[in-house]
Amino acid sequence: MEGGFSRLTTAATGLKGVLAAIGIGVGFQELYGTLATFDTAMSRAKLATEGTAEELQKMQDMARKLGSTQAFGASDTLDAMAELALAGQQANEVLASIPAVVDMATA
């Protein structure tokens, strides 16, 4: 259990870092026109989790739901999901833990 909490903390910290980088990059967006899109974030999550089509649809739905109700957008949520998967979580574990990760990141 302690390892799981450590992964959640790492993912939440990573999400804060991604969002900080996006905040800094907003000024450069017009100049370079580069921000991750939802499709790009979904592709990254898909590759990281190696989830089934059903799991990926659930991840997409969860990201949209959290993105519409939390401070972070759906793409940011998908990026955090990919980080959790890269840290060793399976798709079902990512789905179970992402609401807590987003909550921790907004705290």
Side-chain angles (χ1 to χ4, degrees):
M1 188 64 171
E2 193 171 304
F5 181 75
S6 176
R7 286 192 302 258
L8 288 175
T9 302
T10 300
T13 302
L15 182 58
K16 281 185 178 180
V18 166
L19 295 175
I22 289 171
I24 292 169
V26 168
F28 296 108
Q29 179 182 5
E30 293 176 10
L31 182 61
Y32 297 106
T34 54
L35 280 182
T37 63
F38 185 82
D39 289 336
T40 301
M42 189 65 217
S43 294
R44 184 170 178 256
K46 179 180 178 180
L47 288 172
T49 62
E50 299 178 359
T52 66
E54 182 180 343
E55 289 169 329
L56 293 171
Q57 184 61 53
K58 287 179 182 178
M59 290 174 68
Q60 192 174 56
D61 294 344
M62 176 73 73
R64 285 189 173 129
K65 177 183 174 189
L66 291 173
S68 69
T69 61
Q70 299 286 338
F72 306 118
S75 295
D76 299 323
T77 303
L78 283 170
D79 286 338
M81 288 179 176
E83 291 298 323
L84 289 170
L86 291 171
Q89 286 192 358
Q90 300 297 316
N92 62 332
E93 295 171 317
V94 169
L95 285 165
S97 62
I98 194 65
V101 170
V102 172
D103 285 344
M104 288 172 52
T106 58

